[in-house]
Amino acid sequence: MDLSRPVEELTEGEAAAELEFLAKEIARHDIAYHTKDAPEISDAEYDALRRRNDVLEASFPHLIRQDSPSKRVGAGVAEGFAKVTHRVPMLSLNNAFSDEDVADFVARGHRFFEKDAGLKLAFTAEPKIDGLSASLRYEKGRFVQGATRGDGEVGEDITANLKTIRDIPQQLQGDGWPDEIEIRGEVYMSHADFEALKARSAAEGGQEYVNPRNTAAGSLRQKDPEITRSRNLKFFAYAWGYTSAPFAETQFEAVRKFGEWGFVINPLMIRTEGIEEMLVQYRRIEEQRATLGYDIDGVVYKLDNLALQQRWGFVARAPRWAIAHKFPAELAWTRLEAIDIQVGRTGALSPVARLQPVTVGGVVVTNATLHNEDYIAGRDSQGNPIRDGKDIRVGDWVQVYRAGDVIPKVADVDLSKRPAESHPYVFPDVCPACGSPAVQEFNEKTGKLDAVRRCTGDLICPAQAVEQLKHFVSRDALDIDGLGEKQIAAFYEDGRIMRPADIFTFAARDARSEKRLKDQDGWGDQSAEKLFAAIEARRQPELDRLIFALGIRHVGEGNAALLARTFGTFGQFEAVAAGAAGGDESARAQLMNIDGIGETVVNSVIRFFSNARNKQAVDDLLRQIAPLEYVVASAGESPVVGKTVVFTGSLEKLTRAEAKAMAERLGAKVAGSVSAKTDLVVAGPGAGSKLKKAEELGIETLDEDGWLELVGAQ
Ligand code: IVH
């Protein structure tokens, strides 16, 4: 195939044939390079193939193939960085899993140096950072090349990405550094940055990130260094490779020098005199593990004296003079026995993995989160693979991941152990708590469906009921005196109030009951009477408050007021909403036409009224109450036009903001203090100096009810 012809000359058929050839050819070289470690062509030739592919795709975007090399390995992650052969191999560490293993390690050292009479062996102890190691080459103090560990012998050149890490100096500071030195250490992501990235991604409907380590790895392998920069990776320097001259005599001194040269070194590194101190430091670091703000998975001990390090030497690919004392694993494999769906207080359906009990990081884990249905399916909402696209099935062997005190999660699946008879998990489309439809909402911001499914049985779902009831009586909703969150929780618990309508039938039922409220703990004749009177007083709620009280998703105070103003009566609002729910397009259009109300809100209102049981709950409620009409006196007719009004003291029915908005809507001016210019003072209980001043100045004063009456809102 002639890959040198100008792209403009190609016919569609020729371009398609070339793209097919390139997809196969590049894939073949990727395998030769990455998997077999036996490249057949030079990096430059490989790059030329990819460039040709890119150019063709830019000219013929409709011919981009599913298996295009430009799509592989997830968005933005580059393939085929140049290779870097480490001048000194990057070693790994042998592990110790118990205090005895560490004691054996120290004993081996003493045996090795037996002939050196009276020799004391000192060891450094420092956290083992759970990130990725990198080797940074400095020539005459300038950072010239950075590479991943790779297989220890050959890594990848990620200089451009490493240059974006602020902990890595471009130029070494101080003095005493050899002309050439490879500084080694760990690139990692802090918990704070990981959480922030996750939150950003969730808000944008982006991909899921499993843990800080994998995310740091992905961030380092980006084609675009600006993406790496935005991830705010960090770096601890703790070792070195090739050096053109010796620069220290001990491990401790060497790392101290890294600090002086401008690197960040771990503050928990100490020098110990032997096994007892080593283990004390291990416990100290383990205790701090949860609050460090980054993941560590053990403590590394290194023989301090560099001359002795050299004498003790290496075995296979690890030094004899160092060992990693691992914390009990935070990862474990176990069987997924079932997937349960929990319904949260806001109606979100959350899948929970029921696991064969397994110890993860010293804690027995039986449950883990599965996030949402996309996570189970192995694809995020944009179709990007999660866990390489592996889905999670009941019966699978799954890896459980636990970091600090975070809820454990299922991080991976072992497909080789998947039972033959397993089948993909089907996420329920009805709420397990109440049987109402559970739906994924369309998110206007992201233009995609939300990954989270929600129950639509807002008012009748037992999982949501208590929260809904608390909302119903809350301050900006029905605001019933003496009926707060605590009372609602108790009345729900004992079955007295299960639905909003029950609030208004409470007194009558209580009168017939054998277990009268007044006889219950914490209640008496007076308090029970007072509560019933307060409920009675709210049988004529304001329309906007009532609409808000229903707890329809996305219908907050502002939208409730818009709906109330538009429809005027509850009957009218319900008729249009129910009409739209029944498929009446003109009713839907009526909702959509309301200035300030968007599709998300309209869909949510429709969904609420599409649920027959929600509608039933509303109708039951309406048999008990008589919502007020929403009347707005036109400014011309209002008695307060042009008047200056001051509100003081506490208001019971209106919030301050509402009172102010109401007055302004009616053409009044609202002032903060009383003066000769004030026309009217509305004083609630607790009013002090302002009321006094008004009286002194002979200004008209009203209480809240008087005000509502004056403006025709009562
Ligand atoms: S020293 C010659 N110190 O652990 C010794 N390694 O399991 C080279 N690691 O590849 C390593 N924190 O990525 C050393 N404080 C630390 C470390 C550390 C994390 C990683 C490093 C290495 C792996 C070996």
Side-chain angles (χ1 to χ4, degrees):
M1 181 151 301
D2 179 5
L3 298 175
S4 60
R5 286 176 58 201
V7 171
E8 307 74 67
E9 285 178 25
L10 298 179
T11 64
E12 280 215 5
E14 287 169 328
E18 248 195 60
L19 283 167
E20 184 185 359
F21 167 79
L22 285 168
K24 297 216 170 81
E25 189 70 359
I26 292 172
R28 195 167 69 77
H29 290 304
D30 282 344
I31 292 171
Y33 181 98
H34 287 290
T35 317
K36 299 194 184 140
D37 237 346
E40 293 170 22
I41 54 174
S42 71
D43 288 349
E45 286 168 305
Y46 174 87
D47 287 344
L49 290 178
R50 288 197 78 107
R51 262 200 311 279
R52 178 74 176 177
N53 190 71
D54 290 348
V55 172
L56 280 167
E57 289 189 346
S59 303
F60 300 92
H62 55 293
L63 296 182
I64 297 178
R65 301 166 58 86
Q66 266 308 300
D67 62 349
S68 162
S70 61
K71 283 190 176 176
R72 233 168 311 124
V73 208
V77 177
E79 287 234 301
F81 286 99
K83 288 193 168 191
V84 176
T85 302
H86 301 299
R87 286 173 70 173
V88 172
M90 288 183 79
L91 301 173
S92 59
L93 293 166
N94 289 322
N95 290 325
F97 295 101
S98 63
D99 293 1
E100 291 72 49
D101 289 351
V102 180
D104 285 350
F105 162 70
V106 173
R108 278 198 299 279
H110 282 118
R111 271 202 306 280
F112 189 87
F113 296 109
E114 220 167 27
K115 297 270 158 60
D116 301 57
L119 180 68
K120 282 217 167 102
L121 295 184
F123 293 87
T124 56
E126 66 196 280
K128 184 169 190 299
I129 317 299
D130 196 10
L132 298 102
S133 52
S135 185
L136 316 171
R137 203 176 150 67
Y138 286 82
E139 288 175 6
K140 302 218 178 320
R142 272 220 77 70
F143 176 38
V144 292
Q145 187 180 55
T148 62
R149 178 173 182 274
D151 62 5
E153 304 281 338
V154 180
E156 290 177 312
D157 184 336
I158 50 163
T159 313
N161 292 341
L162 289 169
K163 279 193 170 164
T164 69
I165 299 178
R166 270 179 287 174
D167 292 349
I168 296 179
Q170 301 297 310
Q171 170 69 47
L172 299 182
Q173 298 161 19
D175 48 36
W177 26 266
D179 262 5
E180 288 179 61
I181 183 165
E182 287 170 357
I183 303 284
R184 293 176 176 174
E186 205 81 353
V187 176
Y188 66 99
M189 185 179 258
S190 74
H191 292 165
D193 287 319
F194 177 64
E195 292 306 324
L197 175 66
K198 271 204 324 195
R200 255 191 342 256
S201 178
E204 292 161 4
Q207 71 176 103
E208 299 248 3
Y209 294 96
V210 175
N211 61 46
R213 205 202 92 90
N214 287 2
T215 309
S219 306
L220 265 190
R221 300 193 81 250
Q222 295 290 323
K223 262 188 226 159
D224 178 358
E226 285 314 306
I227 299 183
T228 311
R229 189 192 306 282
S230 75
R231 302 287 167 82
N232 205 22
L233 298 175
K234 298 198 158 64
F235 181 82
F236 279 125
Y238 56 62
W240 60 98
Y242 175 79
T243 62
S244 56
F247 63 97
E249 287 185 1
T250 66
Q251 180 77 30
F252 197 71
E253 183 197 348
V255 176
R256 275 284 191 74
K257 288 209 164 148
F258 295 167
E260 288 165 16
W261 298 344
F263 288 97
V264 180
I265 59 174
N266 195 287
L268 292 170
M269 181 185 72
I270 62 158
R271 187 175 178 279
T272 70
E273 297 288 348
I275 180 78
E276 284 82 20
E277 285 179 36
M278 289 156 82
L279 296 178
V280 166
Q281 183 65 358
Y282 175 84
R283 311 254 178 272
R284 201 176 285 149
I285 293 176
E286 193 179 29
E287 267 168 31
Q288 295 187 39
R289 186 181 186 184
T291 53
L292 288 178
Y294 52 88
D295 283 347
I296 63 171
D297 56 354
V299 171
V300 183
Y301 309 114
K302 296 171 188 168
L303 184 61
D304 193 37
N305 183 311
L306 300 185
L308 297 183
Q309 278 190 5
Q310 263 213 310
R311 279 173 59 194
W312 201 357
F314 303 88
V315 59
R317 304 174 78 175
R320 285 207 177 89
W321 45 262
I323 201 158
H325 189 180
K326 300 295 281 282
F327 294 135
E330 295 226 327
L331 286 174
W333 288 88
T334 188
R335 213 177 82 93
L336 174 62
E337 295 185 327
I339 297 177
D340 283 353
I341 303 291
Q342 284 179 351
V343 189
R345 296 189 301 190
T346 59
L349 269 56
S350 308
V352 179
R354 302 292 180 210
L355 305 165
Q356 199 170 306
V358 64
T359 305
V360 189
V363 175
V364 177
V365 171
T366 51
N367 302 320
T369 176
L370 288 163
H371 302 287
N372 55 52
E373 63 186 293
D374 289 350
Y375 191 79
I376 298 177
R379 314 231 148 245
D380 70 14
S381 49
Q382 289 170 296
N384 294 322
I386 301 168
R387 297 177 307 273
D388 302 326
K390 291 186 261 182
D391 68 329
I392 298 173
R393 303 180 182 186
V394 173
D396 272 344
W397 276 88
V398 293
Q399 189 189 52
V400 184
Y401 172 82
R402 200 181 71 89
D405 46 12
V406 179
I407 306 169
K409 58 185 158 208
V410 171
D412 203 357
V413 178
D414 186 347
L415 294 183
S416 71
K417 291 199 179 142
R418 173 166 284 177
E421 71 283 6
S422 80
H423 42 78
Y425 178 74
V426 181
F427 205 92
D429 56 7
V430 294
C431 169
C434 74
S436 292
V439 299
Q440 284 174 296
E441 282 181 16
F442 180 76
N443 186 326
E444 269 180 275
K445 274 205 206 114
T446 61
K448 295 179 201 86
L449 285 181
D450 274 343
V452 175
R453 225 171 240 280
R454 281 176 200 281
C455 167
T456 58
D458 307 56
L459 279 186
I460 52 97
C461 179
Q464 299 179 65
V466 181
E467 290 310 307
Q468 284 279 348
L469 285 166
K470 285 179 188 169
H471 171 77
F472 188 83
V473 299
S474 65
R475 233 184 113 91
D476 297 323
L478 275 249
D479 192 18
I480 299 176
D481 255 355
L483 192 58
E485 297 204 350
K486 219 175 85 201
Q487 293 79 9
I488 284 286
F491 291 148
Y492 185 82
E493 185 77 4
D494 63 19
R496 285 178 155 93
I497 296 178
M498 310 294 284
R499 305 279 152 88
D502 297 345
I503 295 171
F504 295 97
T505 58
F506 190 4
R509 284 183 288 120
D510 189 66
R512 297 192 303 266
S513 159
E514 287 178 359
K515 278 180 77 184
R516 301 289 302 267
L517 179 63
K518 62 185 171 66
D519 303 325
Q520 305 304 306
D521 261 2
W523 293 91
D525 269 339
Q526 274 197 345
S527 55
E529 272 321 305
K530 215 170 138 201
L531 175 66
F532 293 142
I535 292 174
E536 208 50 38
R538 298 299 285 142
R539 271 195 204 268
Q540 291 185 300
E542 298 78 0
L543 183 55
D544 49 345
R545 283 172 171 265
L546 175 63
I547 295 174
F548 173 61
L550 295 181
I552 304 170
R553 213 168 129 65
H554 302 300
V555 179
E557 270 178 284
N559 288 330
L562 284 175
L563 290 165
R565 197 173 305 152
T566 306
F567 294 108
T569 66
F570 194 86
Q572 188 59 24
F573 164 60
E574 194 187 5
V576 173
D584 177 346
E585 278 304 317
S586 72
R588 183 170 202 281
Q590 232 177 310
L591 287 166
M592 287 296 297
N593 282 338
I594 302 171
D595 215 13
I597 286 198
E599 188 155 16
T600 304
V601 177
V602 171
N603 288 342
S604 185
V605 169
I606 291 178
R607 227 175 355 247
F608 182 92
F609 283 96
S610 304
N611 187 319
R613 289 187 290 165
N614 277 341
K615 194 164 174 316
Q616 184 65 51
V618 170
D619 291 343
D620 290 348
L621 173 65
L622 286 175
R623 269 193 285 282
Q624 303 301 326
I625 61 173
L628 296 172
E629 269 186 43
Y630 193 90
V631 266
V632 187
S634 79
E637 296 159 8
S638 167
V640 296
V641 177
K643 300 245 169 100
T644 299
V645 183
V646 172
F647 291 95
T648 179
S650 60
L651 302 178
E652 319 252 27
K653 296 182 178 157
L654 302 170
T655 63
R656 253 320 155 75
E658 244 179 321
K660 182 166 184 281
M662 181 188 263
E664 285 169 349
R665 202 167 56 226
L666 298 173
K669 227 178 94 193
V670 177
S673 59
V674 177
S675 72
K677 289 198 195 128
T678 310
D679 297 301
L680 181 63
V681 172
V682 181
S689 61
K690 289 183 193 172
L691 178 59
K692 211 166 135 230
K693 189 160 180 199
E695 281 162 357
E696 280 167 13
L697 293 172
I699 295 168
E700 187 188 355
T701 63
L702 285 174
D703 63 12
E704 191 180 5
D705 283 344
W707 160 259
L708 290 170
E709 206 169 319
L710 175 70
V711 297
Q714 197 167 50

